[in-house]
């Protein structure tokens, strides 16, 4: 091997090392960008991508609920809990852990119109239906009754006709911040 060939081999080796360093830098940059992008993914996006999936969620004041995500809104989701088939409206801020959510996330622009509805809209609909419900509070207590009027950040819970004597007809105001979930009875 001549001096010229040796020099060309050295240059080629340097070029390969430089290319390797460049690829490693690019891979690190891509990984950083992926981490930065994922850091902006809210729980809401994962829940929306999980509509139709069976999940297990631990809810403050309630415990573990297993069921299928039926619908999702801006700050809530409806969970059909097995085996009874009861529907629960769960406030996203009350969720402590979740298992079984989709690996994907669904950006806001790709969500259905119902996804823009907040918790108040869902509670108003339940109020209009006049069904008996149980409100599960973040502290673990529960209050049964019928949803009455719904304000911006609270709901009024009226006692059931059967329990008026026990509560003397008083309405209980429940703040959204104190509410963990609502289940139909």
């Amino acid at each position: 091997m001549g001096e010229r060939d040796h020099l060309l081999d050295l240059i080629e080796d340097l070029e390969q090392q430089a290319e390797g360093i460049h690829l490693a830098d690019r891979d690190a940059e891509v990984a950083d960008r992926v981490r930065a992008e994922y850091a902006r993914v809210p729980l809401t996006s994962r829940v929306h991508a999980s509509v139709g999936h069976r999940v297990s969620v631990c809810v403050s004041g309630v415990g573990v609920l297993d069921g299928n995500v039926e619908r999702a809104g801006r700050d809530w989701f409806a969970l059909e809990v097995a085996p009874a088939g009861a529907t629960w409206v769960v406030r996203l801020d009350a969720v402590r852990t979740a298992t079984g959510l989709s690996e994907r996330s669904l950006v806001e622009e790709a969500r259905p119109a119902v996804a823009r509805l907040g918790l108040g809209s869902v509670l108003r609909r339940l109020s209009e239906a006049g069904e008996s419900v149980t409100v599960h509070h973040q502290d673990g207590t529960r209050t049964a009754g019928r949803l009455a009027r719904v304000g911006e950040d609270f709901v009024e819970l009226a006692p059931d006709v059967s329990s008026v004597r026990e509560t003397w007809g008083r309405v209980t105001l429940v703040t959204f911040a104190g509410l963990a979930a609502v289940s139909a009875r």
Side-chain angles (χ1 to χ4, degrees), residues 6-85:
H6 181 68
L7 183 58
L8 289 175
D9 286 345
L10 287 174
I11 292 172
E12 185 177 320
D13 186 49
L14 286 173
E15 286 174 347
Q16 287 177 357
Q17 288 179 22
E19 181 66 23
I21 291 169
H22 171 73
L23 290 175
D25 287 347
R26 188 188 70 194
D27 289 348
E29 183 179 341
V30 167
D32 284 345
R33 286 185 184 181
V34 167
R35 278 192 294 275
E37 282 296 313
Y38 194 74
R40 298 190 319 212
V41 173
L43 175 61
T44 307
S45 293
R46 293 283 301 272
V47 171
H48 279 277
S50 300
V51 170
H53 287 84
R54 183 165 181 75
V55 300
S56 180
V57 292
C58 181
V59 180
S60 289
V62 175
V64 176
L65 297 172
D66 295 317
N68 291 322
V69 178
E70 296 295 318
R71 288 185 175 75
R74 187 175 61 235
D75 53 358
W76 61 275
F77 64 98
L79 188 69
E80 186 176 331
V81 177

Side-chain angles (χ1 to χ4, degrees), residues 43 56-65 77 90-99 101 137-139 176-180:
L43 175 61
S56 180
V57 292
C58 181
V59 180
S60 289
V62 175
V64 176
L65 297 172
F77 64 98
V90 179
R91 202 171 135 255
L92 278 171
D93 284 346
V95 173
R96 296 298 160 238
T97 63
T99 305
L101 290 178
H137 306 276
Q138 296 249 11
D139 66 3
F176 289 176
L179 185 147

Side-chain angles (χ1 to χ4, degrees), residues 80-138:
E80 186 176 331
V81 177
T87 300
W88 287 63
V89 175
V90 179
R91 202 171 135 255
L92 278 171
D93 284 346
V95 173
R96 296 298 160 238
T97 63
T99 305
L101 290 178
S102 172
E103 291 287 324
R104 300 179 323 108
S105 65
L106 191 60
V107 294
E108 194 168 344
E109 297 78 23
R111 299 176 194 163
V114 71
R116 291 188 279 281
L117 298 178
L119 181 63
S121 296
V122 175
L123 296 179
R124 280 183 201 87
R125 181 56 58 116
L126 285 171
S127 171
E128 291 166 5
E131 293 182 38
S132 293
V133 299
T134 300
V135 173
H136 301 264
H137 306 276
Q138 296 249 11

